[in-house]
Amino acid sequence: MSGAVGGGTLPAMTTLPPPAEELRLIDTELRHLDARRAVLLRRREWLVHTLRAAAAQQPAPGPGHPPPAWPVGAGAGTAARRPEAAEPSVQNVLLLLGGILLTIAAAAFTLVSWGHLGVAGRALVLGAVTVAALGAPVVLLRRGLGSTAEAVAGLGLALTVLDAYALREAAFAGTDGLGYAAAASAVLAGTWTAYGLGAGVPAPPARDGAGRTGGTGRVVLRLPLPLAVAVAQLPLLLWALAAGAGPYTLTAALLVTAAADTAVALRAALPSVRVVASVGACALGAGGVLSAGWLCWGAATPGSAGRAAALLALAAAIALAGARFDPRRAVATGSALVGGLCLVAGAGGVLRASVPGEWTVPGCLACAVAMSAVVRTRLPEPVRHGLAGASLAVQGLAVLWTVPLVAGTLVGPVAWVGRIWSGAPSGTRVAVLAGAPWHPYAATVPLVLAAVAGVSAVAGRGASWRPAAAVGSLVLGWAAAFVLPAVLALPYAVGLVAQGALTVAALAFAEGARRRCVEAAGRSASHLAAVVLALVTSLHLALLSLASQPATVGVLAALTVLFGAASLLRGRGLAVFTAPASLGYAAALACAVGASAGWQPQYTALLVLVVPAAGAVVAARTGGAAATVAVEATAAVGLLLASVLAVADPPMLALVLSLGGVIAAGTALRPERRPSGYLAAGLFLLAAWTRLAAWDVTVPEAYTLPVTAPALVVGYLRRRRDPAVSSWTAYGAGLAVTLLPSLLAAWDDRHWLRPLLLGTAALAVTLVGARHRLRAPLVLGGSVLALVALHELAPYAAQIVGALPRWVLPALAGLLLLALGATYEQRLRDARRVREVFGRFR
């Protein structure tokens, strides 16, 4: 510190040491820094040597040997240039190519140049080269050249294969090729295993900068053991083929080899060995399972099926053992799933060969249900989940087996639409099939569906997926009851009663589920599913009843009453579904009654009109907006059906439209349904036009003007009282009553007076609308005026077009397209100029 700072200036500062003492302290710190630098330099030298000598085989760093925190050769402040190919990659490629070339050379020597040497020369050359190739990796490992050692070891292993080939050519030329290959593969697998376990050297100890030793281990070759496992897949299969074994023995060989692979995959320490063993276990195990399954389900006798089932049981044991000891949760669950499926497949194959065909699927289902009991055992969780998944898969397959019968039963009665009232069939099965073939094993379908429904209901208790299980149980139970009358071949009338009872039961379940849901203040899908099932069953029942006239009338009447009563239950929670269904069946009943009475369609339309009228009354008393809309939509469909039935008789159609207008007007009396008045006005207008057309009236203005005049006066007075009323409400109906019928009459009138008067009136209406800014007169008057002008100018336009040469129209079209193209190009040019101008802005 400068001597200018005196003691009075810094009274609290510690007194500095004398210069001699301070010099001694600085020298001491420098010596410590030099020692630390030496330690770091030695550490750097060791790291560089390790990374360059054995990048692939470097031992694990011991304590006090952290990995380098910076790239080798890159100092602080220098940027290392990244090469395109890393040094280990180039090294491995070179070693791999060298090993391949040496192997090819050795094979060429063995196959081509073999005959030029004697027996002693052959043995000496191959033996010396093989021993040298197998011994060199040990020396290379001691020198830290791990990758080179692996390449030379691969060459040595390839030479052992050539040795085996050469040995057969020299000494065992007359032996069976498959048998010799089996023995050679077994010997090679054992030899390579012993070589892989024995060819290793102790890992060199690692020293840090202070001279401490850390980290010990053993460096081994990574190539021999995976190759040994791969070759070990062959002996058993080759021996079985050499012995001429049958399919059962070959399948057993596959499964035993897969078992050995499973054991190796579970116990091996090297990851490469585990991968190879796992691939072998999966491949051979899959082949063995497929072969055993084919043998089991294709067996003609119980004995053959039993032997194949034993093979499937072996496969199941292998899979379950793997699931028990495999630490990977997903793999263990999948293995247990496969094991469970193998057990069920074996049992099903034995049942198929021992019992009638219709009991095969129930037997498999029983095995699956029994397997689902393991969920409550103390087995490891992955095993329990896998077996439960296998049980669920078998149950799903059993349900799929029943789908053809359920679908055929559901869709079959549609065929009666084309032959209504052709006569009651002899039984329910005939009515359901309607000529289609019957399911060969239908006797046990209801049993399978009921069993799966029961299992689903029991398994779903207290589970998080209980709602889904409840819906599934409901659907499956309904399907079992749905197909039961056809399976039992009940009489036709009894089958109809059974389907009706099923409909009632579904509605009762839906109401009960809805009430429970309301009490629990929640939502449930069960009552919705039950309502849908009730509707489906009722539709099926209605289609079944089409075979007989009395049955059709009786069933439709019963369904109308049933769904109507369901709509009146307390709370009316089902009315949104049941009320429209009741109206729909009522409309069908009206048509059936009219047809049975021999009425013509236009008179039946009057009976169908009861449905829209009832719908209007029910909609006013139905609670809930959704139910009201559904009922009104059904009533509208009923009105449309009545109009279609009466369309062939214009006077009756006019009556139907008028009655529909009355119904719509009554609906418009409700405050929330005021817009229905527009529908009523439209229906009355259509009825009037239809009546005029039916009377062959040629001067409709005589009937429409007396309506138009008071309507316009009423509209004018209403707008004076309430200016917010739109012109469509005030004047739209009154103007349309006269303008539209007159327009239709003018298009068929060849005289000039009507078009002239109508055009003049339309022009006046248009001008009034434009003057007072009224949309309805402007739109209606302008539209009618344009159509009248088009009607009057059409003949002259046709004459002009006919008088022009044929090339004029294409020429005009071409000129138009050219003009459009030029305009488009000009717009693009202007846009480019604007972009360039803005681009010059800064």
Side-chain angles (χ1 to χ4, degrees):
M1 178 177 290
S2 173
V5 181
T9 305
L10 297 173
M13 180 175 292
T14 303
T15 305
L16 290 176
E21 180 64 19
E22 186 177 359
L23 179 60
R24 186 184 65 80
L25 293 176
I26 292 174
D27 291 340
T28 302
E29 290 296 330
L30 289 176
R31 283 194 299 271
H32 288 168
L33 291 176
D34 291 339
R36 181 59 180 168
R37 185 175 185 276
V39 171
L40 293 177
L41 289 175
R42 286 195 298 270
R43 174 63 175 171
R44 183 182 184 280
E45 182 182 359
W46 180 84
L47 290 174
V48 170
H49 173 73
T50 302
L51 292 176
R52 289 181 177 177
Q57 293 291 331
Q58 62 179 356
H65 291 75
W70 57 81
V72 177
T78 62
R81 184 175 180 180
R82 185 176 182 180
E84 294 184 359
E87 293 181 1
S89 300
V90 176
Q91 161 193 300
N92 293 335
V93 170
L94 295 176
L95 293 175
L96 178 62
L97 291 176
I100 292 175
L101 293 176
L102 288 176
T103 303
I104 294 175
F109 169 78
T110 304
L111 298 175
V112 178
S113 301
W114 183 257
H116 299 289
L117 299 175
V119 175
R122 300 171 187 176
L124 181 62
V125 170
L126 275 180
V129 174
T130 303
V131 170
L134 294 177
V138 179
V139 178
L140 294 173
L141 286 177
R142 289 175 180 173
R143 294 180 176 274
L145 303 176
S147 299
T148 306
E150 295 288 349
V152 177
L155 175 62
L157 297 179
L159 288 175
T160 56
V161 178
L162 295 177
D163 288 339
Y165 171 76
L167 182 62
R168 182 179 183 278
E169 292 295 325
F172 300 99
T175 60
D176 179 58
L178 288 176
Y180 182 81
S185 60
V187 173
L188 287 175
T191 302
W192 291 358
T193 302
Y195 179 68
L197 295 175
V201 297
R207 297 180 179 271
D208 60 6
R212 294 188 299 269
T213 303
T216 60
R218 181 178 175 82
V219 179
V220 297
L221 296 172
R222 296 178 299 172
L223 190 60
L225 290 179
L227 291 179
V229 174
V231 174
Q233 313 300 313
L234 302 177
L236 282 179
L237 183 60
L238 292 178
W239 269 326
L241 292 174
Y248 291 94
T249 306
L250 290 174
T251 304
L254 290 174
L255 293 176
V256 171
T257 306
D261 288 334
T262 303
V264 172
L266 294 174
R267 304 293 297 176
L270 290 179
S272 57
V273 175
R274 291 198 300 269
V275 170
V276 175
S278 299
V279 172
C282 293
L284 296 181
V289 167
L290 293 177
S291 176
W294 177 75
L295 292 174
C296 186
W297 284 79
T301 61
S304 302
R307 285 189 294 167
L311 295 175
L312 287 173
L314 174 60
I318 297 170
L320 293 176
R324 174 65 177 82
F325 296 104
D326 199 315
R328 296 168 295 180
R329 182 183 182 90
V331 177
T333 303
S335 299
L337 174 65
V338 173
L341 292 177
C342 289
L343 289 176
V344 176
V350 174
L351 288 173
R352 180 182 176 277
S354 305
V355 299
E358 60 267 18
W359 291 100
T360 302
V361 174
C364 294
L365 180 60
C367 296
V369 172
M371 189 186 303
S372 63
V374 301
V375 177
R376 305 184 184 276
T377 62
R378 295 184 178 181
L379 290 174
E381 185 177 359
V383 177
R384 288 188 282 114
H385 287 177
L387 292 178
S391 175
L392 183 62
V394 174
Q395 294 179 46
L397 292 175
V399 172
L400 287 179
W401 176 73
T402 66
V403 167
L405 178 62
V406 177
T409 304
L410 183 63
V411 180
V414 177
W416 290 107
V417 175
R419 41 192 178 132
I420 298 177
W421 297 349
S422 58
S426 59
T428 304
R429 182 178 298 180
V430 178
V432 167
L433 291 178
W438 182 245
H439 195 282
Y441 301 133
T444 56
V445 167
L447 176 62
V448 170
L449 291 170
V452 178
V455 171
S456 178
V458 173
R461 291 180 179 177
S464 59
W465 42 275
R466 180 179 180 181
V471 173
S473 301
L474 175 63
V475 173
L476 292 174
W478 168 84
F482 182 72
V483 301
L484 188 60
V487 171
L488 297 179
L490 296 178
Y492 178 65
V494 178
L496 294 179
V497 173
Q499 294 295 332
L502 181 58
T503 305
V504 174
L507 286 176
F509 183 88
E511 178 62 19
R514 187 194 65 82
R515 291 183 179 180
R516 290 192 298 270
C517 179
V518 171
E519 293 173 358
R523 301 182 64 183
S524 174
S526 298
H527 78 282
L528 295 178
V531 171
V532 172
L533 294 177
L535 293 174
V536 171
T537 309
S538 65
L539 181 60
H540 178 265
L541 176 60
L543 292 174
L544 276 180
S545 67
L546 295 178
S548 172
Q549 176 179 333
T552 301
V553 176
V555 166
L556 292 177
L559 291 177
T560 301
V561 174
L562 174 62
F563 283 98
S567 304
L568 300 177
L569 294 175
R570 186 179 62 182
R572 299 181 179 179
L574 303 180
V576 65
F577 302 102
T578 55
S582 178
L583 293 176
Y585 286 124
L589 176 62
C591 295
V593 169
S596 62
W599 294 353
Q600 295 182 1
Q602 59 268 25
Y603 299 109
T604 304
L606 296 177
L607 188 59
V608 174
L609 276 178
V610 177
V611 174
V617 175
V618 172
R621 298 176 177 272
T622 303
T628 301
V629 172
V631 170
E632 290 175 347
T634 307
V637 173
L639 178 59
L640 180 61
L641 175 61
S643 302
V644 172
L645 291 175
V647 72
D649 189 351
M652 189 60 68
L653 177 60
L655 178 59
V656 169
L657 292 174
S658 301
L659 294 177
V662 172
I663 296 172
T667 304
L669 295 177
R670 294 157 49 195
E672 71 277 9
R673 288 293 182 265
R674 295 299 188 199
S676 298
Y678 298 113
L679 177 62
L683 291 174
F684 284 133
L685 188 60
L686 289 176
W689 293 348
T690 304
R691 174 56 65 180
L692 293 177
W695 285 342
D696 293 330
V697 175
T698 59
V699 186
E701 294 81 4
Y703 300 92
T704 59
L705 286 176
V707 178
T708 298
L712 293 178
V713 172
V714 171
Y716 174 74
L717 295 177
R718 184 177 180 185
R719 275 187 60 84
R720 285 188 60 184
R721 186 171 59 254
D722 185 7
V725 176
S726 67
S727 61
W728 288 105
T729 304
Y731 307 117
L735 292 174
V737 167
T738 297
L739 291 178
L740 297 183
S742 299
L743 178 63
L744 294 177
W747 274 76
D748 291 333
D749 195 345
R750 298 183 179 181
H751 300 284
W752 57 272
L753 182 58
R754 185 191 298 275
L756 177 61
L757 295 177
L758 180 60
T760 303
L763 177 61
V765 171
T766 304
L767 294 176
V768 171
R771 172 67 178 81
H772 297 282
R773 297 182 180 180
L774 300 176
R775 183 175 300 175
L778 183 63
V779 173
L780 289 176
S783 300
V784 172
L785 180 60
L787 293 175
V788 170
L790 178 63
H791 175 266
E792 294 301 315
L793 294 177
Y796 302 102
Q799 293 177 4
I800 293 173
V801 172
L804 290 176
R806 295 185 177 182
W807 55 267
V808 173
L809 291 179
L812 293 176
L815 291 175
L816 178 61
L817 293 177
L818 287 177
L820 291 176
T823 305
Y824 184 69
E825 183 180 6
Q826 184 177 1
R827 297 294 180 269
L828 290 178
R829 184 185 59 190
D830 295 341
R832 294 192 192 98
R833 290 178 178 176
V834 173
R835 185 178 60 184
E836 292 174 358
V837 171
F838 278 102
R840 290 195 294 268
F841 289 168
R842 293 183 179 179

